[in-house]
Amino acid sequence: MYNAKAFSAASETSPLDSTTIVRRDPTDTDVQIEILYCGICHSDLHQVRNEWSGAMPTVYPCVPGHEIVGRVTKVGSAVTKFKVGDTAAVGCMVDSDGTCPECLAGFEQFCANSTLTYNFPDKHTGGVTYGGYSDSIVVDQRFVLHIPSGLDLAGAAPLLCAGITTYSPMHHWGVTKGKKVGIVGLGGLGHMGVKFAHALGAHVVLFTTSPNKKEDALRLGADEVVISRNADEMAKHAGSFDFILDAVSADHDINAYLHLLRRDGNLCLVGAPEKPLAVAAFNLLFGRRSLSGSPVGGIAETQEMLDFCGKHNITADVEIIPIQQVNEAYERLLKSDIKYRFVIDMASLKG
């Protein structure tokens, strides 16, 4: 065991503050990583403030962070995938049983015995896992990823959650050249959705309630921008989409988007509205349309996504902050005052 510097929340009403946590020494199959950058995901805020107490109650102290990019500083004797000095990344998972049908199929995100990067039982320490708001982390090599050379490391950090969350359903539902793809919402997830759909060759339409986001959406790769409150603009696209990625977490009418799908089209939720969404059955029956949801991807698919980003030079649009501003960043996150993802420069933790 060794001590690591971190920022943690002591309770659901406490601000994040500096602390010291205990990390395990690397085992034979472990990789120890000096964390250089860690993205801030909206789920970090939910977890810190115990807003998912029904499904995932928070254990304090809580060290969030699952968008981790760093440098390998130590490897176990059986590690073959990494060497000291490599750039490496860690996403939302740090372990799974490796033997169930889901793991064997490459879908570790669906493993019933997976271990999330923070606030999950830690079999090594007997406590809970601690995330990336820290100066280092130790992870089994199976859950460590390679960052392609040339990618901006700060911009690459959000790829470990926002990136794979949007890439995975596009991969699964076959977004390719010639497909018409809609992206609902232009936030941390939505802006990545636009970039991926554009790079995959699709005709990309961004749906937003904010006219002032049109210029930015076009810059990011959208071919068209539709103001979703304008009924005439929406009606022009009825029955024409192969796939729509819904990245909105606020309450909204998904029937308006189901109506835009062509035959066998799919609308996939990656946002997580607090309240159940009403679905009109006829919007699914007519046209054999489908409604789905998707979390992050498995490890192999996440590496595929990172390699794709390396090939197309895709990173998130980020605002880099020192860790001492993390509580302010959380408040700004609640106000959607960010384009499009906060990333913590972990060198600030040494100060």
Side-chain angles (χ1 to χ4, degrees), residues 191-263:
H191 96 287
M192 290 305 309
V194 170
K195 290 188 178 191
F196 282 132
H198 173 75
L200 288 164
H203 180 87
V204 186
V205 180
L206 186 279
F207 294 94
T208 179
T209 59
S210 306
N212 60 3
K213 290 187 177 181
K214 180 175 181 178
E215 184 178 342
D216 223 29
L218 295 173
R219 174 185 67 83
L220 292 165
D223 296 290
E224 300 180 59
V225 177
V226 171
I227 307 306
S228 55
R229 289 173 176 158
N230 186 316
D232 290 337
E233 287 189 38
M234 294 288 281
K236 291 177 184 177
H237 292 275
S240 66
F241 282 87
D242 297 286
F243 179 75
I244 297 176
L245 188 79
D246 189 334
V248 175
S249 291
D251 185 37
H252 62 292
D253 179 17
I254 61 168
N255 293 290
Y257 299 103
L258 289 171
H259 182 65
L260 302 183
L261 294 172
R262 63 182 302 174
R263 173 180 52 79

Coordinates of all heavy atoms in Angstrom, one line a residue, residues 191-263:
H191 N -21.7 16.9 -28.4 CA -20.7 17.5 -29.3 C -19.8 16.4 -29.7 O -19.3 16.4 -30.9 CB -19.9 18.6 -28.6 CG -18.7 18.3 -27.9 ND1 -18.6 17.6 -26.7 CD2 -17.4 18.5 -28.2 CE1 -17.4 17.4 -26.3 NE2 -16.6 18.0 -27.2
M192 N -19.6 15.3 -28.9 CA -18.8 14.2 -29.4 C -19.6 13.4 -30.4 O -19.1 12.8 -31.4 CB -18.5 13.3 -28.2 CG -17.4 13.8 -27.2 SD -15.9 14.3 -28.0 CE -15.4 12.9 -28.9
G193 N -20.9 13.3 -30.2 CA -21.8 12.6 -31.2 C -21.7 13.2 -32.5 O -21.6 12.5 -33.6
V194 N -21.7 14.5 -32.6 CA -21.6 15.2 -33.9 C -20.2 14.9 -34.5 O -20.2 14.6 -35.7 CB -21.7 16.8 -33.7 CG1 -21.4 17.5 -35.0 CG2 -23.2 17.1 -33.3
K195 N -19.2 15.0 -33.7 CA -17.8 14.7 -34.3 C -17.7 13.3 -34.8 O -17.2 13.1 -35.9 CB -16.8 14.9 -33.2 CG -16.6 16.4 -32.8 CD -15.4 16.6 -31.9 CE -15.2 18.0 -31.6 NZ -13.9 18.3 -30.9
F196 N -18.2 12.3 -34.1 CA -18.1 10.9 -34.5 C -19.0 10.7 -35.8 O -18.6 10.0 -36.7 CB -18.5 10.0 -33.4 CG -17.5 9.7 -32.4 CD1 -17.8 9.8 -31.0 CD2 -16.2 9.4 -32.8 CE1 -16.8 9.6 -30.1 CE2 -15.2 9.2 -31.8 CZ -15.5 9.3 -30.5
A197 N -20.2 11.1 -35.8 CA -21.1 10.9 -36.9 C -20.6 11.5 -38.2 O -20.6 10.9 -39.2 CB -22.5 11.5 -36.6
H198 N -20.0 12.7 -38.0 CA -19.3 13.3 -39.2 C -18.1 12.5 -39.7 O -18.0 12.3 -40.9 CB -18.9 14.8 -38.8 CG -18.1 15.5 -39.8 ND1 -18.7 16.0 -41.0 CD2 -16.8 15.7 -39.9 CE1 -17.7 16.6 -41.7 NE2 -16.6 16.4 -41.1
A199 N -17.3 12.1 -38.8 CA -16.1 11.3 -39.2 C -16.5 10.0 -39.8 O -15.7 9.4 -40.6 CB -15.2 11.1 -38.0
L200 N -17.6 9.4 -39.4 CA -18.1 8.1 -39.9 C -18.7 8.3 -41.3 O -19.1 7.3 -41.9 CB -19.1 7.5 -39.0 CG -18.4 6.9 -37.7 CD1 -19.5 6.6 -36.6 CD2 -17.7 5.6 -38.0
G201 N -18.9 9.5 -41.7 CA -19.4 9.8 -43.1 C -20.9 10.0 -43.2 O -21.4 10.1 -44.3
A202 N -21.6 10.1 -42.1 CA -23.0 10.3 -42.1 C -23.4 11.7 -42.4 O -22.6 12.7 -42.3 CB -23.6 9.9 -40.7
H203 N -24.6 11.9 -42.8 CA -25.2 13.3 -42.9 C -25.7 13.6 -41.6 O -26.6 12.9 -41.0 CB -26.3 13.3 -44.0 CG -27.0 14.7 -44.1 ND1 -26.5 15.6 -45.0 CD2 -28.0 15.2 -43.5 CE1 -27.2 16.7 -44.9 NE2 -28.2 16.5 -44.0
V204 N -25.2 14.6 -40.9 CA -25.4 14.9 -39.5 C -26.4 16.1 -39.3 O -26.1 17.2 -39.8 CB -24.1 15.1 -38.8 CG1 -24.4 15.2 -37.3 CG2 -23.1 14.0 -39.1
V205 N -27.4 15.9 -38.6 CA -28.4 16.9 -38.2 C -28.4 17.1 -36.7 O -28.6 16.1 -36.0 CB -29.8 16.6 -38.7 CG1 -30.7 17.7 -38.3 CG2 -29.8 16.4 -40.2
L206 N -28.1 18.3 -36.2 CA -28.1 18.6 -34.8 C -29.4 19.2 -34.4 O -29.9 20.2 -35.0 CB -26.9 19.5 -34.5 CG -26.6 19.9 -33.0 CD1 -27.5 21.0 -32.5 CD2 -26.7 18.7 -32.1
F207 N -30.0 18.7 -33.4 CA -31.3 19.2 -32.9 C -31.0 19.9 -31.6 O -30.3 19.4 -30.7 CB -32.3 18.1 -32.6 CG -32.8 17.4 -33.8 CD1 -32.2 16.2 -34.2 CD2 -33.9 17.9 -34.5 CE1 -32.7 15.6 -35.4 CE2 -34.3 17.3 -35.7 CZ -33.7 16.1 -36.1
T208 N -31.4 21.2 -31.5 CA -31.2 22.0 -30.3 C -32.3 22.9 -30.0 O -33.1 23.3 -31.0 CB -29.9 22.8 -30.4 OG1 -29.7 23.6 -29.2 CG2 -29.9 23.7 -31.6
T209 N -32.5 23.3 -28.8 CA -33.5 24.3 -28.5 C -32.9 25.7 -28.5 O -33.6 26.7 -28.4 CB -34.1 24.1 -27.0 OG1 -33.1 24.1 -26.1 CG2 -34.8 22.7 -27.0
S210 N -31.6 25.8 -28.7 CA -30.9 27.1 -28.6 C -30.4 27.5 -30.0 O -29.4 27.0 -30.5 CB -29.7 27.0 -27.6 OG -30.1 26.5 -26.4
P211 N -31.0 28.5 -30.6 CA -30.5 29.0 -31.9 C -29.1 29.5 -31.9 O -28.4 29.4 -32.9 CB -31.5 30.2 -32.2 CG -32.7 29.9 -31.4 CD -32.2 29.2 -30.2
N212 N -28.6 29.9 -30.7 CA -27.2 30.4 -30.7 C -26.2 29.3 -30.7 O -25.0 29.6 -30.8 CB -27.0 31.3 -29.4 CG -27.2 30.5 -28.1 OD1 -27.5 29.3 -28.1 ND2 -27.1 31.2 -27.0
K213 N -26.6 28.0 -30.8 CA -25.7 26.9 -30.9 C -25.4 26.5 -32.3 O -24.6 25.6 -32.6 CB -26.1 25.7 -30.1 CG -26.1 26.0 -28.6 CD -26.4 24.7 -27.8 CE -26.2 24.9 -26.3 NZ -26.5 23.7 -25.5
K214 N -26.1 27.1 -33.3 CA -26.1 26.7 -34.7 C -24.6 26.8 -35.2 O -24.1 25.9 -35.8 CB -27.0 27.5 -35.5 CG -27.0 27.1 -37.0 CD -28.1 27.9 -37.8 CE -28.0 27.4 -39.3 NZ -29.1 28.1 -40.1
E215 N -24.0 27.9 -35.0 CA -22.7 28.2 -35.6 C -21.7 27.1 -35.0 O -20.9 26.6 -35.8 CB -22.2 29.6 -35.2 CG -20.8 29.9 -35.9 CD -20.4 31.4 -35.5 OE1 -21.3 32.2 -35.2 OE2 -19.2 31.7 -35.7
D216 N -21.7 26.8 -33.7 CA -20.8 25.9 -33.2 C -21.1 24.5 -33.7 O -20.2 23.7 -33.9 CB -20.9 25.9 -31.6 CG -19.5 25.9 -31.0 OD1 -18.6 26.3 -31.6 OD2 -19.4 25.4 -29.9
A217 N -22.4 24.1 -33.8 CA -22.7 22.8 -34.3 C -22.1 22.6 -35.7 O -21.6 21.5 -36.0 CB -24.2 22.6 -34.3
L218 N -22.2 23.6 -36.6 CA -21.7 23.5 -37.9 C -20.1 23.4 -37.9 O -19.5 22.6 -38.6 CB -22.1 24.7 -38.7 CG -23.6 24.8 -39.0 CD1 -23.9 26.2 -39.7 CD2 -24.1 23.7 -39.9
R219 N -19.5 24.1 -37.0 CA -18.1 24.0 -36.8 C -17.6 22.6 -36.4 O -16.6 22.1 -36.8 CB -17.6 25.0 -35.7 CG -16.1 24.9 -35.4 CD -15.7 25.8 -34.2 NE -16.3 25.4 -33.0 CZ -15.9 24.5 -32.1 NH1 -14.8 23.8 -32.5 NH2 -16.5 24.2 -31.0
L220 N -18.4 21.9 -35.5 CA -18.1 20.6 -35.0 C -18.3 19.5 -36.1 O -17.9 18.4 -35.9 CB -18.9 20.3 -33.8 CG -18.6 21.2 -32.5 CD1 -19.6 21.1 -31.5 CD2 -17.2 20.8 -32.0
G221 N -19.1 19.8 -37.1 CA -19.3 18.8 -38.2 C -20.7 18.6 -38.6 O -21.0 17.7 -39.4
A222 N -21.7 19.3 -38.0 CA -23.1 19.1 -38.4 C -23.3 19.6 -39.8 O -22.7 20.7 -40.2 CB -24.0 19.8 -37.4
D223 N -24.1 19.0 -40.6 CA -24.5 19.4 -41.9 C -25.7 20.4 -41.9 O -25.9 21.3 -42.7 CB -24.8 18.2 -42.8 CG -23.6 17.4 -43.0 OD1 -22.7 17.8 -43.7 OD2 -23.6 16.2 -42.5
E224 N -26.6 20.1 -40.9 CA -27.8 20.9 -40.7 C -28.0 21.1 -39.2 O -27.6 20.3 -38.4 CB -29.0 20.3 -41.3 CG -28.9 20.0 -42.8 CD -30.2 19.4 -43.3 OE1 -31.3 19.9 -43.1 OE2 -30.1 18.2 -43.8
V225 N -28.7 22.2 -38.8 CA -29.1 22.4 -37.5 C -30.6 22.7 -37.5 O -31.1 23.6 -38.2 CB -28.3 23.6 -36.8 CG1 -28.8 23.8 -35.4 CG2 -26.8 23.3 -36.8
V226 N -31.3 22.0 -36.6 CA -32.8 22.1 -36.5 C -33.1 22.6 -35.1 O -32.7 22.1 -34.1 CB -33.5 20.8 -36.8 CG1 -35.0 20.9 -36.5 CG2 -33.3 20.4 -38.2
I227 N -33.9 23.7 -35.1 CA -34.4 24.2 -33.8 C -35.6 23.4 -33.4 O -36.6 23.5 -34.1 CB -34.7 25.7 -33.9 CG1 -33.5 26.5 -34.4 CG2 -35.1 26.2 -32.5 CD1 -32.2 26.3 -33.7
S228 N -35.5 22.6 -32.4 CA -36.5 21.6 -32.2 C -37.8 22.1 -31.7 O -38.9 21.4 -31.8 CB -36.0 20.6 -31.1 OG -35.6 21.2 -29.9
R229 N -37.8 23.4 -31.3 CA -39.1 24.0 -30.9 C -39.9 24.5 -32.1 O -41.1 25.0 -32.0 CB -38.8 25.2 -29.9 CG -38.4 24.7 -28.6 CD -38.0 25.9 -27.7 NE -37.6 25.4 -26.3 CZ -36.8 26.1 -25.5 NH1 -36.3 27.3 -25.9 NH2 -36.6 25.6 -24.3
N230 N -39.3 24.5 -33.3 CA -39.9 25.0 -34.5 C -40.6 23.8 -35.2 O -39.9 22.9 -35.8 CB -38.8 25.6 -35.4 CG -39.4 26.3 -36.6 OD1 -40.3 25.7 -37.3 ND2 -39.0 27.5 -37.0
A231 N -41.9 23.7 -35.1 CA -42.6 22.6 -35.6 C -42.4 22.4 -37.2 O -42.4 21.3 -37.7 CB -44.1 22.7 -35.3
D232 N -42.3 23.5 -37.9 CA -42.2 23.4 -39.3 C -40.8 22.8 -39.7 O -40.7 22.0 -40.6 CB -42.3 24.8 -40.0 CG -43.7 25.4 -39.9 OD1 -44.6 24.5 -39.8 OD2 -43.9 26.6 -40.0
E233 N -39.7 23.2 -39.0 CA -38.4 22.7 -39.2 C -38.4 21.2 -38.9 O -37.8 20.4 -39.6 CB -37.4 23.4 -38.3 CG -37.0 24.8 -38.8 CD -35.8 25.3 -38.1 OE1 -34.9 24.6 -37.8 OE2 -35.8 26.5 -37.8
M234 N -39.1 20.8 -37.8 CA -39.1 19.4 -37.5 C -39.9 18.6 -38.5 O -39.5 17.5 -38.9 CB -39.7 19.2 -36.1 CG -39.0 19.8 -34.9 SD -37.5 18.8 -34.5 CE -38.2 17.5 -33.6
A235 N -41.0 19.1 -39.0 CA -41.8 18.4 -39.9 C -41.1 18.1 -41.3 O -41.4 17.1 -41.9 CB -43.1 19.2 -40.2
K236 N -40.2 18.9 -41.6 CA -39.4 18.7 -42.9 C -38.6 17.4 -42.9 O -38.3 16.9 -43.9 CB -38.5 19.9 -43.1 CG -39.2 21.2 -43.5 CD -38.2 22.3 -43.6 CE -38.9 23.7 -43.9 NZ -37.9 24.8 -44.0
H237 N -38.3 16.9 -41.7 CA -37.5 15.8 -41.5 C -38.2 14.5 -41.2 O -37.6 13.5 -40.9 CB -36.4 16.0 -40.5 CG -35.4 17.1 -40.9 ND1 -34.3 16.8 -41.7 CD2 -35.4 18.4 -40.7 CE1 -33.6 17.9 -41.9 NE2 -34.2 18.9 -41.3
A238 N -39.6 14.5 -41.2 CA -40.4 13.4 -40.8 C -40.0 12.1 -41.6 O -39.9 12.2 -42.8 CB -41.8 13.7 -40.9
G239 N -39.8 11.0 -40.9 CA -39.6 9.7 -41.5 C -38.3 9.6 -42.3 O -38.3 8.8 -43.3
S240 N -37.3 10.3 -42.0 CA -36.1 10.4 -42.8 C -34.8 9.9 -42.1 O -33.8 9.7 -42.8 CB -35.9 11.8 -43.4 OG -35.6 12.7 -42.3
F241 N -34.8 9.7 -40.8 CA -33.5 9.4 -40.1 C -33.3 7.9 -40.0 O -34.2 7.1 -39.6 CB -33.5 10.0 -38.8 CG -33.2 11.5 -38.8 CD1 -34.2 12.4 -39.0 CD2 -31.9 12.0 -38.7 CE1 -33.9 13.8 -39.0 CE2 -31.6 13.3 -38.7 CZ -32.6 14.2 -38.9
D242 N -32.1 7.4 -40.2 CA -31.7 6.1 -40.0 C -31.4 5.8 -38.5 O -31.7 4.8 -37.9 CB -30.4 5.7 -40.7 CG -30.6 5.8 -42.2 OD1 -31.3 4.9 -42.8 OD2 -30.1 6.7 -42.9
F243 N -30.9 6.9 -37.8 CA -30.5 6.8 -36.4 C -30.5 8.1 -35.8 O -30.1 9.1 -36.4 CB -29.0 6.2 -36.4 CG -28.5 6.0 -35.0 CD1 -28.9 5.0 -34.1 CD2 -27.5 6.9 -34.5 CE1 -28.4 4.8 -32.9 CE2 -27.0 6.7 -33.2 CZ -27.5 5.7 -32.4
I244 N -31.0 8.2 -34.6 CA -30.9 9.4 -33.8 C -30.3 9.1 -32.4 O -30.8 8.2 -31.7 CB -32.3 10.0 -33.6 CG1 -32.9 10.4 -35.0 CG2 -32.3 11.2 -32.7 CD1 -34.3 11.0 -34.9
L245 N -29.3 9.8 -32.0 CA -28.7 9.7 -30.7 C -29.2 10.8 -29.8 O -29.0 12.0 -30.1 CB -27.2 9.8 -30.8 CG -26.4 9.6 -29.6 CD1 -26.2 8.0 -29.4 CD2 -25.0 10.2 -29.7
D246 N -29.9 10.5 -28.7 CA -30.5 11.4 -27.8 C -29.6 11.6 -26.6 O -29.5 10.7 -25.8 CB -31.9 10.9 -27.4 CG -32.7 11.9 -26.7 OD1 -32.1 12.8 -26.0 OD2 -33.9 11.9 -26.7
A247 N -29.0 12.7 -26.5 CA -28.0 13.0 -25.5 C -28.5 14.0 -24.4 O -27.8 14.5 -23.6 CB -26.7 13.5 -26.0
V248 N -29.9 14.1 -24.3 CA -30.5 15.0 -23.4 C -30.9 14.3 -22.1 O -31.5 13.3 -22.1 CB -31.7 15.7 -24.0 CG1 -32.4 16.6 -23.0 CG2 -31.3 16.5 -25.3
S249 N -30.5 14.9 -21.0 CA -30.8 14.4 -19.7 C -32.0 15.1 -19.0 O -32.5 14.6 -18.0 CB -29.6 14.4 -18.7 OG -28.6 13.5 -19.2
A250 N -32.4 16.2 -19.6 CA -33.6 16.8 -19.0 C -34.9 16.2 -19.6 O -34.9 15.5 -20.6 CB -33.6 18.3 -19.4
D251 N -36.0 16.5 -19.0 CA -37.3 16.0 -19.4 C -37.6 16.6 -20.8 O -37.5 17.8 -21.0 CB -38.4 16.3 -18.4 CG -39.7 15.7 -18.8 OD1 -39.7 14.6 -19.3 OD2 -40.8 16.4 -18.6
H252 N -38.0 15.7 -21.8 CA -38.3 16.2 -23.1 C -39.2 15.2 -23.8 O -39.3 14.0 -23.4 CB -37.0 16.5 -23.9 CG -36.2 15.3 -24.2 ND1 -35.5 14.6 -23.2 CD2 -35.9 14.6 -25.3 CE1 -34.8 13.6 -23.6 NE2 -35.0 13.5 -24.9
D253 N -39.7 15.6 -24.9 CA -40.7 14.8 -25.7 C -39.9 13.9 -26.7 O -39.6 14.5 -27.8 CB -41.7 15.7 -26.4 CG -42.7 14.9 -27.2 OD1 -42.8 13.6 -27.0 OD2 -43.4 15.5 -28.0
I254 N -39.7 12.7 -26.5 CA -39.0 11.8 -27.4 C -39.9 11.4 -28.6 O -39.4 11.0 -29.6 CB -38.3 10.6 -26.8 CG1 -39.4 9.7 -26.2 CG2 -37.3 11.0 -25.8 CD1 -38.8 8.3 -25.8
N255 N -41.2 11.6 -28.4 CA -42.1 11.2 -29.5 C -41.9 12.1 -30.8 O -42.0 11.7 -31.9 CB -43.6 11.3 -29.1 CG -43.9 10.3 -28.1 OD1 -44.0 9.1 -28.4 ND2 -44.1 10.7 -26.8
A256 N -41.4 13.3 -30.5 CA -41.2 14.2 -31.6 C -40.0 13.7 -32.4 O -39.9 14.0 -33.7 CB -40.8 15.6 -31.0
Y257 N -39.1 13.0 -31.8 CA -37.9 12.4 -32.5 C -38.2 11.0 -33.1 O -37.7 10.7 -34.2 CB -36.7 12.4 -31.6 CG -36.3 13.8 -31.1 CD1 -36.7 14.2 -29.8 CD2 -35.7 14.7 -32.0 CE1 -36.4 15.5 -29.4 CE2 -35.4 16.0 -31.6 CZ -35.7 16.4 -30.3 OH -35.4 17.6 -29.9
L258 N -39.0 10.2 -32.4 CA -39.4 8.9 -32.9 C -40.1 9.1 -34.3 O -40.0 8.3 -35.2 CB -40.3 8.2 -31.9 CG -39.6 7.7 -30.7 CD1 -40.7 7.2 -29.7 CD2 -38.6 6.6 -31.0
H259 N -40.9 10.2 -34.4 CA -41.7 10.5 -35.6 C -40.7 10.8 -36.8 O -41.1 10.6 -37.9 CB -42.6 11.6 -35.3 CG -43.5 12.0 -36.5 ND1 -44.4 11.2 -37.0 CD2 -43.5 13.1 -37.2 CE1 -45.0 11.8 -38.0 NE2 -44.5 12.9 -38.2
L260 N -39.5 11.1 -36.5 CA -38.5 11.5 -37.5 C -37.8 10.3 -38.1 O -37.1 10.4 -39.1 CB -37.5 12.5 -37.0 CG -38.1 13.8 -36.4 CD1 -36.9 14.7 -36.0 CD2 -39.0 14.5 -37.4
L261 N -37.9 9.1 -37.4 CA -37.2 7.9 -37.9 C -37.9 7.3 -39.2 O -39.1 7.3 -39.3 CB -37.2 6.9 -36.8 CG -36.4 7.2 -35.6 CD1 -36.6 6.1 -34.5 CD2 -34.9 7.3 -35.9
R262 N -37.1 6.8 -40.0 CA -37.6 6.1 -41.2 C -37.9 4.6 -40.8 O -37.8 4.3 -39.6 CB -36.6 6.1 -42.3 CG -35.3 5.4 -42.0 CD -34.3 5.4 -43.1 NE -34.8 4.8 -44.3 CZ -34.2 4.9 -45.5 NH1 -33.0 5.5 -45.6 NH2 -34.8 4.3 -46.5
R263 N -38.4 3.8 -41.7 CA -38.6 2.4 -41.4 C -37.4 1.8 -40.8 O -36.3 1.9 -41.4 CB -39.1 1.7 -42.6 CG -39.2 0.2 -42.4 CD -39.7 -0.6 -43.7 NE -38.9 -0.3 -44.8 CZ -37.7 -0.8 -45.1 NH1 -37.1 -1.7 -44.2 NH2 -37.0 -0.5 -46.2

